[in-house]
Amino acid sequence: MTSPIAPHETAIFGDSVMVGDRFIASRETERIDLLLANHLIKVAEREVGWTWLLKDPSDGRFWELSYPFGDRHGGGPPKLEVLTRAAAKALYGAAEI
């Protein structure tokens, strides 16, 4: 199985742009949504659903989904970032890893 995430990628930042009176999701935000729906596997969550630990079944890498802009509605656009196994265990607990 080939991953839709390139091996050199370590972070994917979503964004949105204001068009008229509303925000439109960027291509990267749409890509994150597709990865969540069709590829990455949810392993655990923390911060009451605002931060998820995900696993890429193609290469075994752990990814963290977060919404880093707390001052924006809904936490703003999403961000996916690679976590080492040690960081994943420290943040999400050994039972889930």
Side-chain angles (χ1 to χ4, degrees), residues 16-80:
S16 58
V17 293
M18 185 68 114
V19 176
D21 62 349
R22 63 187 193 125
F23 283 101
I24 303 295
S26 70
R27 262 192 219 142
E28 290 303 310
T29 298
E30 291 175 352
R31 180 177 178 216
I32 289 171
D33 290 343
L34 286 171
L35 288 168
L36 294 173
N38 301 308
H39 184 69
L40 296 171
I41 298 166
K42 183 177 176 182
V43 176
E45 70 178 64
R46 63 186 176 98
E47 298 178 18
V48 192
W50 287 100
T51 308
W52 292 3
L53 179 65
L54 305 144
K55 189 171 186 177
D56 183 335
S58 301
D59 62 14
R61 288 191 295 173
F62 289 101
W63 290 80
E64 184 174 63
L65 170 69
S66 64
Y67 296 86
F69 300 101
D71 59 325
R72 293 164 105 181
H73 176 72
K79 175 178 93 170
L80 281 174

